[in-house]
């Protein structure tokens, strides 16, 4: 292929609306029931009409799909079920012609057990140094080398027939790489260049705080400082080297960094490291005005010293969909087990999700929209015999897994499988066609129409800071530039502040012109 012109970093990412594409469930272009690049290319006009600035693709690489593509066998090849490298290059170029940039997913903590490096390691080659192989403990090496547990449940070690054990912080099919080895670092810098050369404008870094391990691989002790494998200082050398590569192309990074320590979190966003990181405290915050305001204030405060923009997200491919989360009458949602104490009220959840969309899109920084959120999709119940997420099996069935938010999208109400394509790899619930994009596109009151209008009107808030306005208990109200955002999380309607025009509302005002409960509005000051 010819060498494309490198992307230019004009700061677009500081206030972008970025749409997350889980390819397997987005749109099926060849009718085999699996979403693919052909399906995405066919839907680019839809994404352009939505008004998004960029697409973030979950891993689309060659993979045995033991963990939804996060077990990568070859970073320079596209998973055949999705298409080809040539199709990916066309997609990147076609999207850019529509003003939409592309962000790809990199999974640096581990690879697939089918990756050439690991297969060579199993054969006893020097590639063992690229992973964490250790003898076991106990009289006969029958015990794991340490007591670490997998993020998916169970031990983080698997024993091989030769008696050695290898480390996997996730599934056994995802062996962890040894980031102390220079070949691992060089390979990933080469991978970055491979995709930047193809016009990719950015990279999302999976499990960005987990790469480096204490070389002694000690047992985990609660409160141990530094942690043996989370947020270790040597990680920053890796990301400074990556940033140097990205700067050659004007490309950007967004890190998946789950850290409770806000000061440690902000270190990843210092000049010369990552550009942005996901904002998980906001995503996991319950529908409570005081707690949401605190989350917003904390987010802006922790980003200010390093000059990085905040990111805002309501949902992604790993958590229960927003409509279902907000449709609970209590705040007892547990993100580990995805369990609640009360049934879901979809009407309530939809009202709140609509209001939350306006809240997030009015805040300063970048916004990520997970596919299907713009359709108001709820979480789907997956029959036990159809669940594919390894979290379910490895938890002994206590965790329902993440498949409920990954059900293929409904595109056309009158077509088989709601217009997705062939019979979907995950079953669509009864009534899924009611959420179809074609039906919502014709309804000015739909969730899709709300998102389209909000993305179009978002520039009204400008690039300036946020100023909180006086408001009753349970109400969030703030100004940016010439626009106001008011969100009523209280139980009763409230009066609107003085304004010159109503720009957009997540739901109708009451007969007295007041803002009802679980409703948001944008106003021109």
């Amino acid at each position: 292929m010819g060498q494309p012109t490198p992307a230019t970093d004009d700061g677009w990412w500081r206030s972008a609306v970025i749409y997350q594409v889980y390819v397997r469930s987005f749109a099926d272009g060849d009718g085999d029931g699996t979403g693919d690049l052909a399906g995405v290319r066919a839907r680019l006009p839809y994404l352009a009409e939505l008004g998004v600035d960029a697409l973030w693709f979950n891993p689309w690489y060659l993979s045995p799909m033991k963990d939804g593509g996060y077990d990568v066998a070859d970073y320079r090849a596209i998973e055949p079920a999705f298409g080809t490298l040539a199709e990916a290059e066309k997609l990147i170029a076609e999207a850019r012609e529509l003003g939409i940039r592309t962000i790809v997913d990199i999974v640096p903590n581990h690879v697939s057990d089918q990756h050439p490096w690991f297969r060579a390691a199993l054969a006893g080659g020097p590639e063992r140094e690229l992973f964490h192989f250790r003898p076991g403990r106990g009289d006969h090496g029958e015990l794991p080398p340490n007591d670490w547990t997998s993020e998916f449940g169970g031990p983080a070690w698997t024993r091989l027939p030769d008696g050695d054990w290898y480390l996997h912080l996730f599934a056994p099919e995802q062996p962890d790489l040894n980031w102390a080895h220079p070949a691992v670092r060089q390979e990933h810098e080469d991978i970055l260049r491979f995709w930047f050369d193809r016009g990719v404008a950015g990279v999302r870094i999976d499990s960005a705080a987990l790469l480096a391990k204490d070389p002694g691989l000690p047992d985990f002790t609660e409160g141990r400082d530094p942690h043996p494998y989370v947020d270790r200082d040597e990680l920053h050398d890796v990301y400074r080297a990556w940033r140097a590569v990205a700067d050659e192309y004007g490309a950007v990074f967004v890190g998946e960094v789950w850290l409770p320590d806000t000061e440690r979190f902000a270190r990843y966003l210092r000049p010369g490291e990552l550009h942005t990181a996901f904002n998980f405290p906001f995503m996991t915050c319950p529908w409570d005005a005081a707690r949401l305001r605190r989350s917003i204030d904390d987010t802006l405060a922790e980003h200010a010293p390093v000059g990085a923009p905040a990111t805002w997200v309501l949902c992604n491919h790993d958590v229960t969909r927003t409509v279902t989360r907000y449709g609970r009458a209590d705040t007892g949602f547990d993100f580990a087990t995805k369990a609640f104490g009360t049934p879901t009220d979809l009407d309530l959840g939809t009202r709140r999700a609509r209001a939350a969309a306006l809240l997030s899109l009015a805040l300063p920084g970048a916004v990520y929209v997970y596919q299907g959120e713009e359709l108001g999709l709820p979480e789907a119940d997956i029959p036990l015999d159809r669940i594919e997420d390894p979290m379910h099996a490895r938890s002994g069935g206590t965790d329902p897994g993440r498949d409920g938010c990954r059900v293929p999208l409904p595109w056309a109400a009158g077509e088989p499988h709601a217009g997705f394509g062939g019979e979907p790899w995950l079953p669509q619930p009864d009534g899924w066609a009611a959420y179809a994009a074609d039906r919502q596109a014709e309804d000015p009151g739909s969730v899709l129409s709300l998102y389209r209008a909000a993305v179009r009107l978002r520039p009204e808030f400008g690039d300036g800071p946020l100023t909180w306005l006086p408001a009753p208990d349970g109400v969030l109200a703030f100004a940016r530039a010439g626009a106001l955002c008011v969100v009523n999380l209280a139980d009763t309607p409230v009066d609107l502040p003085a304004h010159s025009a109503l720009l957009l509302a997540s739901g109708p005002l009451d007969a007295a012109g007041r803002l009802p409960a679980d409703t948001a509005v944008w106003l021109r000051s």
Side-chain angles (χ1 to χ4, degrees):
M1 56 165 280
Q3 182 82 358
T5 302
T8 299
D9 177 10
D10 55 5
W12 64 272
W13 46 276
R14 302 188 72 88
S15 59
V17 177
I18 301 167
Y19 187 93
Q20 180 186 353
V21 179
Y22 192 80
V23 176
R24 197 178 184 189
S25 298
F26 185 72
D28 171 18
D30 62 8
D32 67 355
T34 295
D36 48 38
L37 301 188
V40 179
R41 291 174 63 199
R43 300 294 179 178
L44 283 175
Y46 167 89
L47 295 165
E49 188 170 1
L50 186 58
V52 300
D53 300 294
L55 305 178
W56 157 36
F57 289 90
N58 289 100
W60 56 15
Y61 315 107
L62 181 67
S63 169
M65 291 290 170
K66 298 297 184 181
D67 181 25
Y70 281 86
D71 48 322
V72 178
D74 185 349
Y75 270 113
R76 296 172 179 83
I78 298 295
E79 166 57 37
F82 299 156
T84 65
L85 180 58
E87 283 185 284
E89 292 169 350
K90 289 179 181 178
L91 172 53
I92 293 166
E94 290 168 355
R96 194 67 187 88
E97 289 174 0
L98 294 172
I100 301 174
R101 293 171 169 87
T102 296
I103 297 172
V104 296
D105 215 315
I106 295 293
V107 191
N109 179 71
H110 50 262
V111 292
S112 165
D113 61 357
Q114 299 304 305
H115 190 283
W117 279 1
F118 193 70
R119 297 176 73 174
L122 293 182
E127 288 81 2
R128 285 207 171 200
E129 296 179 4
L130 307 178
F131 301 91
H132 298 279
F133 283 86
R134 294 292 188 276
R137 297 189 292 188
D139 292 341
H140 305 287
E142 72 279 8
L143 300 176
N146 65 29
D147 63 357
W148 297 1
T149 57
S150 163
E151 297 288 320
F152 289 169
W157 294 90
T158 290
R159 196 180 192 188
L160 298 171
D162 65 9
D164 269 358
W165 298 72
Y166 68 89
L167 175 67
H168 52 85
L169 289 181
F170 293 87
E173 296 86 0
Q174 296 167 294
D176 280 35
L177 290 165
N178 174 15
W179 273 86
H181 198 290
V184 173
R185 297 194 179 199
Q186 186 61 56
E187 169 67 359
H188 282 77
E189 291 176 25
D190 291 346
I191 289 167
L192 293 176
R193 286 193 171 88
F194 179 88
W195 287 105
F196 292 154
D197 282 340
R198 281 155 179 79
V200 162
V203 167
R204 180 262 190 185
I205 307 167
D206 180 70
S207 300
L210 300 185
L211 279 58
K213 276 76 173 178
D214 184 321
L217 300 180
D219 281 343
F220 177 78
T221 303
E222 193 66 37
R224 185 186 186 99
D225 187 21
H227 195 287
Y229 61 83
V230 176
D231 183 35
R232 294 184 61 81
D233 288 343
E234 53 265 42
L235 262 177
H236 297 281
D237 289 337
V238 172
Y239 293 134
R240 280 189 286 269
W242 283 26
R243 178 61 178 264
V245 175
D247 286 348
E248 295 175 21
Y249 295 84
V252 299
F253 292 120
V254 55
E256 183 192 28
V257 183
W258 290 81
L259 291 177
D261 186 324
T262 58
E263 183 178 348
R264 299 285 299 186
F265 171 87
R267 295 179 72 216
Y268 290 84
L269 303 177
R270 292 175 295 189
E273 296 195 35
L274 306 184
H275 299 76
T276 60
F278 283 123
N279 181 359
F280 294 112
F282 179 79
M283 181 181 70
T284 58
C285 192
W287 189 247
D288 177 271
R291 292 175 68 175
L292 277 168
R293 176 167 174 167
R294 185 162 61 250
S295 176
I296 293 166
D297 284 340
D298 289 348
T299 295
L300 296 176
E302 71 189 19
H303 285 73
V306 290
T311 65
W312 311 98
V313 60
L314 298 173
C315 183
N316 64 30
H317 64 293
D318 285 334
V319 300
T320 301
R321 283 197 177 273
T322 310
V323 165
T324 298
R325 293 203 323 271
Y326 285 159
R328 302 292 180 173
D330 58 23
T331 57
F333 179 69
D334 182 343
F335 273 83
T337 63
K338 303 175 179 64
F340 294 89
T342 57
T344 300
D345 180 339
L346 289 183
D347 289 338
L348 174 67
T350 300
R351 288 198 306 274
R352 290 176 172 177
R354 291 172 64 103
L358 293 197
L359 170 61
S360 62
L361 285 163
L363 293 169
V367 178
Y368 283 78
V369 178
Y370 177 49
Q371 65 180 42
E373 288 291 289
E374 82 280 11
L375 302 177
L377 296 182
E379 186 82 354
D381 290 326
I382 308 298
L384 292 179
D385 62 347
R386 296 292 301 276
I387 293 176
E388 296 201 10
D389 186 358
M391 292 186 73
H392 176 70
R394 288 185 62 83
S395 70
T398 60
D399 189 320
R402 300 161 293 180
D403 288 344
C405 65
R406 300 176 178 182
V407 172
L409 298 189
W411 289 103
E415 296 182 11
H417 313 302
F420 172 72
E423 182 177 352
W425 68 279
L426 280 177
Q428 295 171 317
D430 293 339
W432 208 237
Y435 297 96
D438 67 341
R439 178 176 292 182
Q440 293 202 36
E442 302 300 321
D443 177 6
S446 69
V447 179
L448 176 58
S449 294
L450 177 71
Y451 265 88
R452 286 176 171 175
V455 175
R456 184 179 70 253
L457 291 168
R458 192 166 182 255
E460 294 272 352
F461 288 94
D463 296 324
L466 175 154
T467 301
W468 291 107
L469 304 175
D473 288 344
V475 177
L476 299 176
F478 60 86
R480 292 183 59 217
L484 316 177
C485 177
V486 184
V487 189
N488 184 8
L489 295 88
D491 295 329
T492 56
V494 296
D495 292 325
L496 296 177
H499 60 280
S500 63
L502 189 153
L503 296 170
L504 187 62
S506 67
L509 305 182
D510 71 5
R514 297 175 300 176
L515 187 65
D518 300 316
T519 309
V521 67
W522 288 359
L523 308 169
R524 184 175 290 135
S525 58

